[in-house]
């Protein structure tokens, strides 16, 4: 086996080992991956997110406010404007 195939084979084997335990749960997702989140606090979302691909250079910063639960600020840098359905977006803005 080549060096590339060995890690791939190990990953597949690990997944197959997990499946028998998953099949006894109500859903495979709950057993192997946990339950899907239904919400998040402002503190859990705080951080700076950077765009990739078509959004290269765009940043979105979320900050939680300590004074009021569930509140905070959003700051954007190089956020594109224009109509979403057009192939080219408009100018960008910071705010």
């Amino acid at each position: 086996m080549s060096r590339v195939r060995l890690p791939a084979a190990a990953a597949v084997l690990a997944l197959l080992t997990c499946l028998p335990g998953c099949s006894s749960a109500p859903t495979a997702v709950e057993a192997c991956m946990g339950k899907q989140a239904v919400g998040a606090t402002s503190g859990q979302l705080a951080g700076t997110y950077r765009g990739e691909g078509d959004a290269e250079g765009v940043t979105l910063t979320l900050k939680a406010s300590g004074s009021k639960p569930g509140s905070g600020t959003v700051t954007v840098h190089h956020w594109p404007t224009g109509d979403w359905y057009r192939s080219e977006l408009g100018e960008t803005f910071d705010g």
Side-chain angles (χ1 to χ4, degrees):
M1 238 184 235
S2 73
R3 290 183 183 193
V4 175
R5 288 185 184 175
L6 187 57
V12 170
L13 180 60
L15 178 62
L16 291 175
T17 303
C18 174
L19 289 178
C22 296
S23 62
S24 63
T27 67
V29 172
E30 288 179 16
C32 291
M33 301 171 79
K35 292 186 178 183
Q36 181 177 354
V38 293
T41 67
S42 56
Q44 291 171 317
L45 296 175
T48 298
Y49 301 88
R50 293 178 183 4
E52 296 177 355
D54 290 342
E56 186 74 38
V58 176
T59 60
L60 172 72
T61 303
L62 304 174
K63 291 184 182 178
S65 172
S67 62
K68 186 177 178 184
S71 65
T73 60
V74 175
T75 306
V76 297
H77 185 65
H78 290 299
W79 195 263
T81 63
D83 298 320
W84 62 269
Y85 56 86
R86 296 181 189 257
S87 61
E88 296 294 325
L89 295 176
E91 298 295 318
T92 63
F93 73 92
D94 299 334

Coordinates of all heavy atoms in Angstrom, one line a residue:
M1 N 0.8 -1.2 0.0 CA 0.0 0.0 0.0 C 0.9 1.2 0.0 O 1.9 1.3 0.7 CB -0.9 0.0 1.3 CG -2.3 0.1 1.0 SD -3.3 0.2 2.5 CE -4.3 -1.2 2.3
S2 N 0.5 2.3 -0.7 CA 1.3 3.5 -0.7 C 1.1 4.3 0.5 O 0.2 4.0 1.3 CB 0.9 4.3 -1.9 OG -0.4 4.9 -1.7
R3 N 1.9 5.2 0.8 CA 1.8 6.0 2.0 C 0.5 6.8 2.1 O 0.0 7.1 3.1 CB 3.0 7.0 2.1 CG 4.3 6.3 2.3 CD 5.4 7.3 2.5 NE 6.7 6.5 2.6 CZ 7.8 7.1 3.0 NH1 7.8 8.4 3.2 NH2 8.8 6.4 3.1
V4 N 0.0 7.2 0.9 CA -1.2 8.0 0.9 C -2.4 7.1 1.2 O -3.3 7.5 1.9 CB -1.4 8.7 -0.5 CG1 -2.8 9.4 -0.6 CG2 -0.3 9.6 -0.8
R5 N -2.4 5.9 0.8 CA -3.5 5.0 1.0 C -3.6 4.5 2.4 O -4.7 4.2 2.9 CB -3.4 3.8 0.0 CG -3.7 4.2 -1.4 CD -3.7 2.9 -2.2 NE -3.9 3.3 -3.6 CZ -3.8 2.4 -4.6 NH1 -3.6 1.2 -4.4 NH2 -4.0 2.8 -5.9
L6 N -2.5 4.4 3.1 CA -2.5 3.9 4.5 C -3.3 4.8 5.4 O -4.2 4.3 6.1 CB -1.1 3.6 5.0 CG -1.0 3.0 6.3 CD1 -1.7 1.6 6.3 CD2 0.5 2.8 6.7
P7 N -3.1 6.1 5.5 CA -3.9 7.0 6.3 C -5.4 6.9 5.9 O -6.3 7.0 6.8 CB -3.3 8.4 6.2 CG -1.9 8.1 5.7 CD -2.0 6.9 4.9
A8 N -5.7 6.9 4.6 CA -7.1 6.9 4.2 C -7.7 5.6 4.6 O -8.9 5.6 5.1 CB -7.1 7.0 2.7
A9 N -7.0 4.5 4.5 CA -7.6 3.2 5.0 C -7.8 3.2 6.5 O -8.8 2.6 6.9 CB -6.6 2.0 4.6
A10 N -6.9 3.8 7.2 CA -7.1 3.8 8.7 C -8.3 4.7 9.1 O -9.0 4.3 10.0 CB -5.8 4.4 9.3
A11 N -8.5 5.8 8.3 CA -9.7 6.6 8.6 C -11.0 5.9 8.3 O -11.9 6.0 9.1 CB -9.6 7.9 7.8
V12 N -11.0 5.1 7.2 CA -12.2 4.4 6.8 C -12.4 3.3 7.9 O -13.6 3.1 8.3 CB -12.1 3.8 5.4 CG1 -13.2 2.8 5.2 CG2 -12.1 4.9 4.4
L13 N -11.4 2.6 8.3 CA -11.5 1.6 9.4 C -12.1 2.2 10.7 O -12.9 1.6 11.3 CB -10.2 0.9 9.6 CG -10.2 -0.2 10.6 CD1 -11.1 -1.3 10.2 CD2 -8.8 -0.7 10.8
A14 N -11.6 3.3 11.0 CA -12.1 4.0 12.3 C -13.5 4.3 12.1 O -14.3 4.1 13.1 CB -11.3 5.3 12.5
L15 N -14.0 4.8 11.0 CA -15.4 5.1 10.8 C -16.2 3.9 10.8 O -17.3 3.8 11.5 CB -15.6 5.8 9.4 CG -17.0 6.2 9.0 CD1 -17.6 7.1 10.0 CD2 -17.1 6.7 7.6
L16 N -15.8 2.8 10.2 CA -16.5 1.5 10.2 C -16.6 0.9 11.6 O -17.6 0.3 12.0 CB -15.9 0.5 9.2 CG -16.1 0.9 7.8 CD1 -15.3 -0.1 6.9 CD2 -17.5 1.0 7.4
T17 N -15.6 1.2 12.4 CA -15.6 0.7 13.8 C -16.7 1.4 14.6 O -17.3 0.9 15.5 CB -14.2 0.9 14.4 OG1 -13.3 0.2 13.6 CG2 -14.2 0.3 15.9
C18 N -16.9 2.7 14.3 CA -17.8 3.5 15.0 C -19.3 3.2 14.6 O -20.2 3.3 15.5 CB -17.5 5.0 14.7 SG -18.8 6.1 15.4
L19 N -19.5 2.7 13.4 CA -20.9 2.5 12.9 C -21.7 1.5 13.7 O -22.9 1.8 14.0 CB -20.8 2.2 11.5 CG -20.5 3.3 10.5 CD1 -20.4 2.8 9.1 CD2 -21.4 4.5 10.7
P20 N -21.2 0.4 14.2 CA -22.0 -0.5 14.9 C -22.6 0.1 16.2 O -23.7 -0.1 16.5 CB -21.1 -1.7 15.3 CG -20.1 -1.7 14.2 CD -19.9 -0.2 13.8
G21 N -21.8 0.9 16.9 CA -22.3 1.6 18.1 C -23.3 2.7 17.7 O -24.2 2.9 18.4
C22 N -23.1 3.3 16.5 CA -24.0 4.3 16.1 C -25.4 3.7 15.7 O -26.4 4.4 15.9 CB -23.5 5.0 14.8 SG -22.0 5.9 15.1
S23 N -25.4 2.5 15.2 CA -26.7 2.0 14.7 C -27.7 1.7 15.8 O -28.9 1.6 15.6 CB -26.4 0.7 13.9 OG -25.9 -0.3 14.7
S24 N -27.2 1.6 17.1 CA -28.2 1.3 18.2 C -28.8 2.6 18.7 O -29.7 2.5 19.5 CB -27.5 0.5 19.3 OG -26.4 1.3 19.8
A25 N -28.3 3.7 18.3 CA -28.8 5.0 18.8 C -30.0 5.4 17.9 O -30.2 4.9 16.8 CB -27.7 6.1 18.7
P26 N -30.8 6.4 18.4 CA -31.9 6.8 17.6 C -31.5 7.3 16.2 O -32.1 7.0 15.3 CB -32.5 8.0 18.4 CG -32.1 7.7 19.8 CD -30.8 7.0 19.7
T27 N -30.4 8.0 16.2 CA -29.8 8.5 14.9 C -28.3 8.3 15.0 O -27.7 8.5 16.1 CB -30.2 9.9 14.6 OG1 -29.5 10.8 15.5 CG2 -31.7 10.2 14.6
A28 N -27.7 8.0 13.9 CA -26.3 7.9 13.9 C -25.6 9.2 14.2 O -24.5 9.2 14.8 CB -25.8 7.4 12.5
V29 N -26.2 10.3 13.9 CA -25.5 11.6 14.1 C -25.4 11.8 15.6 O -24.4 12.2 16.1 CB -26.4 12.7 13.5 CG1 -25.8 14.1 13.9 CG2 -26.3 12.6 12.0
E30 N -26.5 11.5 16.4 CA -26.4 11.7 17.9 C -25.4 10.8 18.5 O -24.7 11.2 19.4 CB -27.8 11.4 18.5 CG -28.8 12.4 18.2 CD -30.2 12.1 18.8 OE1 -30.3 11.2 19.6 OE2 -31.2 12.7 18.4
A31 N -25.2 9.6 18.1 CA -24.3 8.6 18.7 C -22.9 8.9 18.4 O -22.0 8.9 19.3 CB -24.7 7.2 18.3
C32 N -22.6 9.2 17.2 CA -21.2 9.4 16.8 C -20.7 10.9 16.8 O -19.5 11.1 16.9 CB -21.0 8.9 15.4 SG -21.1 7.1 15.3
M33 N -21.6 11.8 16.6 CA -21.2 13.2 16.5 C -21.8 14.1 17.5 O -21.5 15.3 17.5 CB -21.6 13.7 15.1 CG -20.9 12.8 14.0 SD -21.5 13.2 12.4 CE -20.6 14.7 12.0
G34 N -22.7 13.6 18.4 CA -23.3 14.5 19.3 C -24.5 15.2 18.7 O -24.8 15.1 17.5
K35 N -25.3 15.9 19.6 CA -26.5 16.6 19.1 C -26.1 17.9 18.5 O -25.1 18.6 18.9 CB -27.4 16.8 20.2 CG -28.0 15.5 20.7 CD -29.1 15.8 21.8 CE -29.7 14.4 22.2 NZ -30.8 14.6 23.2
Q36 N -26.9 18.3 17.5 CA -26.7 19.6 16.9 C -27.1 20.7 17.8 O -28.0 20.6 18.6 CB -27.6 19.7 15.6 CG -27.4 21.0 14.9 CD -28.3 21.0 13.6 OE1 -28.9 20.0 13.2 NE2 -28.3 22.1 12.9
A37 N -26.3 21.8 17.8 CA -26.5 22.9 18.7 C -27.8 23.6 18.2 O -28.1 23.7 17.0 CB -25.4 23.9 18.6
V38 N -28.6 24.1 19.2 CA -29.8 24.8 18.8 C -29.7 26.3 19.2 O -30.5 27.1 18.9 CB -31.0 24.3 19.6 CG1 -31.4 22.9 19.1 CG2 -30.8 24.3 21.1
G39 N -28.5 26.7 19.7 CA -28.3 28.1 20.0 C -26.9 28.3 20.5 O -26.1 27.3 20.8
A40 N -26.5 29.6 20.6 CA -25.2 29.9 21.0 C -25.2 31.3 21.7 O -26.0 32.1 21.4 CB -24.2 30.0 19.9
T41 N -24.4 31.4 22.7 CA -24.4 32.7 23.4 C -23.5 33.7 22.7 O -22.7 33.3 21.9 CB -23.8 32.5 24.9 OG1 -22.5 32.1 24.8 CG2 -24.6 31.5 25.6
S42 N -23.6 35.0 23.0 CA -22.8 36.0 22.3 C -21.3 35.7 22.7 O -20.4 35.9 21.8 CB -23.2 37.4 22.7 OG -23.2 37.5 24.1
G43 N -21.0 35.2 23.9 CA -19.6 34.9 24.2 C -19.0 33.8 23.4 O -17.9 33.8 23.1
Q44 N -19.9 32.8 23.1 CA -19.4 31.7 22.3 C -19.1 32.1 20.8 O -18.3 31.5 20.2 CB -20.4 30.6 22.3 CG -20.5 29.9 23.6 CD -21.7 28.9 23.7 OE1 -22.8 29.2 23.2 NE2 -21.5 27.8 24.3
L45 N -19.8 33.1 20.3 CA -19.6 33.6 18.9 C -18.5 34.6 18.8 O -18.1 34.9 17.7 CB -20.9 34.1 18.4 CG -22.1 33.1 18.3 CD1 -23.3 33.7 17.9 CD2 -21.7 31.9 17.3
A46 N -18.1 35.2 19.9 CA -17.2 36.3 19.8 C -15.9 35.9 19.2 O -15.4 34.8 19.3 CB -16.9 36.8 21.3
G47 N -15.3 36.8 18.3 CA -14.1 36.5 17.6 C -14.1 37.2 16.3 O -15.0 37.9 15.9
T48 N -13.0 37.1 15.6 CA -12.8 37.7 14.3 C -12.8 36.5 13.2 O -12.1 35.6 13.4 CB -11.5 38.5 14.2 OG1 -11.6 39.5 15.1 CG2 -11.3 39.0 12.8
Y49 N -13.6 36.7 12.2 CA -13.8 35.7 11.2 C -13.3 36.3 9.9 O -13.6 37.5 9.5 CB -15.3 35.3 11.0 CG -15.8 34.7 12.3 CD1 -16.4 35.6 13.3 CD2 -15.7 33.4 12.6 CE1 -16.9 35.0 14.5 CE2 -16.2 32.8 13.8 CZ -16.8 33.7 14.7 OH -17.3 33.1 15.9
R50 N -12.4 35.6 9.2 CA -11.8 36.1 7.9 C -12.4 35.3 6.7 O -12.5 34.1 6.8 CB -10.3 35.9 8.0 CG -9.7 36.8 9.0 CD -8.2 36.6 9.1 NE -7.4 37.3 10.1 CZ -7.8 38.1 11.1 NH1 -9.0 38.4 11.3 NH2 -7.0 38.7 11.9
G51 N -12.7 36.1 5.7 CA -13.3 35.5 4.5 C -12.2 34.7 3.7 O -11.0 35.0 3.7
E52 N -12.7 33.8 2.9 CA -11.8 33.0 2.0 C -12.5 32.9 0.7 O -13.6 33.2 0.5 CB -11.7 31.5 2.6 CG -11.0 31.4 3.9 CD -10.9 30.0 4.4 OE1 -11.5 29.1 3.8 OE2 -10.3 29.8 5.4
G53 N -11.7 32.6 -0.3 CA -12.2 32.5 -1.7 C -12.7 33.8 -2.2 O -12.0 34.8 -2.2
D54 N -14.0 33.9 -2.6 CA -14.5 35.1 -3.1 C -14.6 36.2 -2.1 O -14.7 37.4 -2.4 CB -16.0 34.9 -3.7 CG -16.0 34.1 -5.0 OD1 -14.9 34.0 -5.6 OD2 -17.0 33.6 -5.3
A55 N -14.6 35.8 -0.8 CA -14.6 36.8 0.3 C -13.2 37.1 0.9 O -13.1 37.6 2.0 CB -15.5 36.3 1.4
E56 N -12.2 36.8 0.2 CA -10.8 37.1 0.6 C -10.7 38.6 1.0 O -11.1 39.4 0.2 CB -9.8 36.7 -0.5 CG -8.4 36.8 -0.1 CD -8.0 35.7 0.8 OE1 -8.4 34.6 0.6 OE2 -7.2 35.9 1.7
G57 N -10.1 38.8 2.2 CA -9.9 40.2 2.6 C -11.0 40.8 3.5 O -10.9 41.8 4.1
V58 N -12.2 40.1 3.5 CA -13.3 40.5 4.3 C -13.1 40.0 5.7 O -12.8 38.8 5.9 CB -14.6 40.0 3.7 CG1 -15.8 40.4 4.6 CG2 -14.9 40.5 2.3
T59 N -13.4 40.9 6.7 CA -13.3 40.4 8.1 C -14.6 40.8 8.8 O -15.2 41.9 8.5 CB -12.1 40.9 8.9 OG1 -12.2 42.4 8.9 CG2 -10.8 40.5 8.4
L60 N -15.1 40.0 9.7 CA -16.3 40.2 10.5 C -15.8 40.0 12.0 O -15.4 38.9 12.3 CB -17.4 39.2 10.1 CG -18.6 39.2 11.0 CD1 -19.4 40.5 10.7 CD2 -19.4 38.0 10.6
T61 N -16.0 41.0 12.8 CA -15.6 40.9 14.2 C -16.8 41.0 15.1 O -17.5 41.9 15.0 CB -14.5 41.9 14.6 OG1 -13.4 41.8 13.7 CG2 -14.1 41.8 16.0
L62 N -17.0 40.0 15.9 CA -18.1 39.9 16.9 C -17.6 40.1 18.3 O -16.7 39.3 18.7 CB -18.9 38.6 16.8 CG -19.4 38.3 15.4 CD1 -20.0 36.9 15.4 CD2 -20.4 39.3 14.9
K63 N -18.1 41.0 19.1 CA -17.6 41.2 20.4 C -18.8 41.2 21.4 O -19.9 41.8 21.1 CB -16.9 42.6 20.6 CG -15.6 42.7 19.9 CD -15.0 44.0 20.2 CE -13.6 44.1 19.4 NZ -13.0 45.4 19.6
A64 N -18.7 40.4 22.4 CA -19.8 40.3 23.4 C -19.7 41.5 24.3 O -18.6 42.0 24.7 CB -19.7 39.0 24.2
S65 N -20.9 42.0 24.8 CA -20.9 43.1 25.7 C -21.1 42.5 27.1 O -22.0 41.6 27.3 CB -22.1 44.0 25.4 OG -22.3 44.9 26.4
G66 N -20.3 42.9 28.0 CA -20.3 42.4 29.4 C -21.5 43.0 30.2 O -21.9 42.4 31.2
S67 N -22.0 44.1 29.7 CA -23.0 44.8 30.5 C -24.4 44.2 30.3 O -25.2 44.3 31.3 CB -23.1 46.3 30.1 OG -23.4 46.4 28.8
K68 N -24.7 43.6 29.2 CA -26.1 43.1 29.0 C -26.0 41.8 28.3 O -25.4 41.7 27.2 CB -26.8 44.1 28.1 CG -28.3 43.8 27.9 CD -29.0 44.9 27.1 CE -30.4 44.5 26.8 NZ -31.0 45.5 25.9
P69 N -26.5 40.7 28.9 CA -26.4 39.4 28.3 C -27.1 39.3 26.9 O -28.1 40.0 26.7 CB -27.2 38.5 29.2 CG -27.2 39.2 30.5 CD -27.2 40.7 30.2
G70 N -26.4 38.6 26.0 CA -27.0 38.5 24.6 C -26.8 39.7 23.7 O -27.4 39.8 22.7
S71 N -25.9 40.7 24.2 CA -25.7 41.8 23.3 C -24.2 42.0 23.0 O -23.4 41.3 23.6 CB -26.2 43.1 24.1 OG -25.4 43.3 25.2
G72 N -23.9 42.8 22.1 CA -22.5 43.0 21.6 C -22.5 43.9 20.4 O -23.4 44.6 20.1
T73 N -21.3 43.8 19.8 CA -21.1 44.7 18.6 C -20.6 43.8 17.4 O -20.0 42.8 17.6 CB -20.1 45.8 18.8 OG1 -18.8 45.2 19.2 CG2 -20.5 46.7 19.9
V74 N -20.9 44.3 16.2 CA -20.4 43.7 15.0 C -19.7 44.7 14.2 O -20.1 45.9 14.0 CB -21.6 43.2 14.1 CG1 -21.1 42.7 12.8 CG2 -22.5 42.2 14.8
T75 N -18.4 44.4 13.8 CA -17.6 45.3 13.0 C -17.2 44.6 11.8 O -16.8 43.4 11.8 CB -16.4 45.8 13.8 OG1 -16.8 46.3 15.1 CG2 -15.6 46.8 13.1
V76 N -17.3 45.3 10.6 CA -16.9 44.7 9.4 C -15.8 45.5 8.7 O -15.7 46.7 8.9 CB -18.1 44.5 8.4 CG1 -19.1 43.6 9.0 CG2 -18.7 45.9 8.0
H77 N -15.0 44.8 7.9 CA -13.9 45.5 7.2 C -13.9 44.9 5.8 O -13.9 43.7 5.6 CB -12.5 45.2 7.9 CG -11.4 45.9 7.3 ND1 -11.3 47.3 7.3 CD2 -10.3 45.4 6.6 CE1 -10.1 47.6 6.7 NE2 -9.6 46.5 6.3
H78 N -13.9 45.8 4.8 CA -14.0 45.4 3.4 C -15.3 44.6 3.1 O -15.3 43.7 2.2 CB -12.8 44.6 2.9 CG -11.5 45.4 2.9 ND1 -11.4 46.4 2.0 CD2 -10.4 45.2 3.5 CE1 -10.2 46.9 2.2 NE2 -9.5 46.2 3.1
W79 N -16.4 45.0 3.7 CA -17.7 44.3 3.5 C -18.2 44.7 2.1 O -18.4 45.9 1.8 CB -18.7 44.7 4.6 CG -19.9 43.8 4.6 CD1 -21.1 44.0 4.0 CD2 -20.0 42.5 5.2 NE1 -21.9 43.0 4.2 CE2 -21.3 42.0 5.0 CE3 -19.1 41.7 5.9 CZ2 -21.7 40.8 5.4 CZ3 -19.5 40.5 6.4 CH2 -20.8 40.0 6.2
P80 N -18.6 43.8 1.2 CA -19.0 44.2 -0.1 C -20.5 44.7 -0.1 O -21.3 44.3 0.7 CB -19.0 42.9 -0.9 CG -19.0 41.8 0.1 CD -18.5 42.4 1.4
T81 N -20.7 45.6 -1.0 CA -22.1 46.2 -1.2 C -22.6 45.7 -2.5 O -21.9 45.0 -3.3 CB -22.1 47.7 -1.1 OG1 -21.3 48.2 -2.2 CG2 -21.5 48.2 0.2
G82 N -23.8 46.0 -2.8 CA -24.3 45.6 -4.1 C -25.4 44.5 -4.0 O -25.7 44.1 -2.9
D83 N -25.9 44.1 -5.1 CA -27.0 43.1 -5.1 C -26.4 41.7 -5.2 O -25.5 41.4 -5.9 CB -27.8 43.3 -6.4 CG -28.5 44.7 -6.4 OD1 -29.0 45.1 -5.3 OD2 -28.6 45.3 -7.4
W84 N -26.9 40.9 -4.3 CA -26.4 39.5 -4.2 C -26.5 38.7 -5.4 O -25.7 37.8 -5.7 CB -27.0 38.8 -3.0 CG -28.5 38.6 -3.2 CD1 -29.5 39.5 -2.8 CD2 -29.2 37.6 -3.9 NE1 -30.7 39.1 -3.1 CE2 -30.6 37.9 -3.8 CE3 -28.8 36.4 -4.5 CZ2 -31.5 37.1 -4.4 CZ3 -29.8 35.6 -5.0 CH2 -31.1 35.9 -5.0
Y85 N -27.5 39.0 -6.3 CA -27.7 38.2 -7.4 C -26.9 38.6 -8.7 O -27.0 38.0 -9.7 CB -29.2 38.2 -7.8 CG -29.8 39.6 -8.0 CD1 -29.7 40.3 -9.2 CD2 -30.3 40.4 -7.0 CE1 -30.1 41.5 -9.4 CE2 -30.8 41.6 -7.1 CZ -30.7 42.2 -8.4 OH -31.2 43.5 -8.6
R86 N -26.1 39.6 -8.5 CA -25.2 40.0 -9.6 C -23.9 39.3 -9.5 O -23.4 39.0 -8.5 CB -25.0 41.5 -9.6 CG -26.3 42.3 -9.9 CD -26.1 43.8 -9.9 NE -27.3 44.5 -9.9 CZ -27.8 45.0 -11.0 NH1 -27.2 45.0 -12.1 NH2 -29.0 45.6 -10.9
S87 N -23.2 39.1 -10.7 CA -21.9 38.4 -10.6 C -20.8 39.2 -10.0 O -19.9 38.7 -9.5 CB -21.5 38.0 -12.1 OG -21.4 39.2 -12.9
E88 N -20.9 40.6 -10.1 CA -19.9 41.4 -9.4 C -20.6 42.3 -8.4 O -21.6 42.9 -8.6 CB -19.3 42.4 -10.5 CG -18.5 41.7 -11.6 CD -17.3 41.0 -11.0 OE1 -16.7 41.6 -10.1 OE2 -17.0 39.9 -11.5
L89 N -20.0 42.3 -7.2 CA -20.5 43.1 -6.1 C -20.0 44.5 -6.2 O -19.0 44.7 -6.9 CB -20.2 42.5 -4.7 CG -20.8 41.1 -4.5 CD1 -20.3 40.5 -3.2 CD2 -22.3 41.2 -4.4
G90 N -20.6 45.4 -5.5 CA -20.2 46.8 -5.5 C -18.9 47.1 -4.7 O -18.2 46.2 -4.3
E91 N -18.7 48.3 -4.3 CA -17.6 48.8 -3.5 C -17.7 48.1 -2.1 O -18.7 47.5 -1.8 CB -17.6 50.3 -3.4 CG -17.5 51.0 -4.7 CD -16.1 50.8 -5.3 OE1 -15.1 50.8 -4.6 OE2 -16.1 50.6 -6.5
T92 N -16.7 48.2 -1.4 CA -16.7 47.7 0.0 C -16.7 48.9 1.0 O -16.5 50.0 0.7 CB -15.4 46.8 0.3 OG1 -14.3 47.7 0.2 CG2 -15.4 45.7 -0.7
F93 N -17.1 48.5 2.2 CA -17.1 49.6 3.3 C -16.6 48.9 4.6 O -16.6 47.7 4.8 CB -18.5 50.2 3.5 CG -19.5 49.3 4.1 CD1 -19.7 49.3 5.5 CD2 -20.3 48.4 3.4 CE1 -20.6 48.5 6.1 CE2 -21.2 47.6 4.0 CZ -21.4 47.7 5.3
D94 N -16.2 49.8 5.5 CA -15.8 49.4 6.9 C -16.9 50.0 7.8 O -17.3 51.1 7.6 CB -14.5 49.9 7.2 CG -13.4 49.4 6.3 OD1 -13.6 48.3 5.7 OD2 -12.3 50.1 6.2
G95 N -17.2 49.3 8.9 CA -18.2 49.9 9.8 C -18.5 48.9 10.9 O -18.1 47.8 11.0

